[in-house]
Amino acid sequence: MSIEQLLTKGGGEGLARLAVCAVAAIGIVELAEKLLEGKDIPLWSKYGPWIRENKTQAIAILAALLYGASLALWPEEKKDSSPEGEGYTACT
């Protein structure tokens, strides 16, 4: 799904999903930073300094991963955009 599709009239659901993923990513990064700081955890020792220096990029990457996972787990429903689906009949 592109940014144009998210911002169009029917993209409210996708935009809301993206916003929820972004807020969740902010919370996860902040929580990980507070809980794992000073602990001898190999992954945090390796990636923790990068996350602290590049917090915006880390949040964006995590939000994209969460968004992809949410689409895989709960696919968006396709709306019928044909005029026939709205109670109209096609001209012959």
Side-chain angles (χ1 to χ4, degrees), residues 2 18 35 37 41 44-48 50 59 61 64 72 78 82 84 92:
S2 69
L18 182 60
L35 290 178
E37 190 66 35
I41 298 174
W44 184 253
S45 300
K46 185 175 182 179
Y47 297 110
W50 182 86
I59 290 170
I61 291 168
K78 300 291 181 195
S82 66
E84 293 179 12
T92 55

Side-chain angles (χ1 to χ4, degrees), residues 52-67:
R52 281 193 306 275
E53 292 174 14
N54 304 294
K55 193 177 283 190
T56 304
Q57 289 88 346
I59 290 170
I61 291 168
L62 185 57
L65 290 172
L66 290 173
Y67 185 78

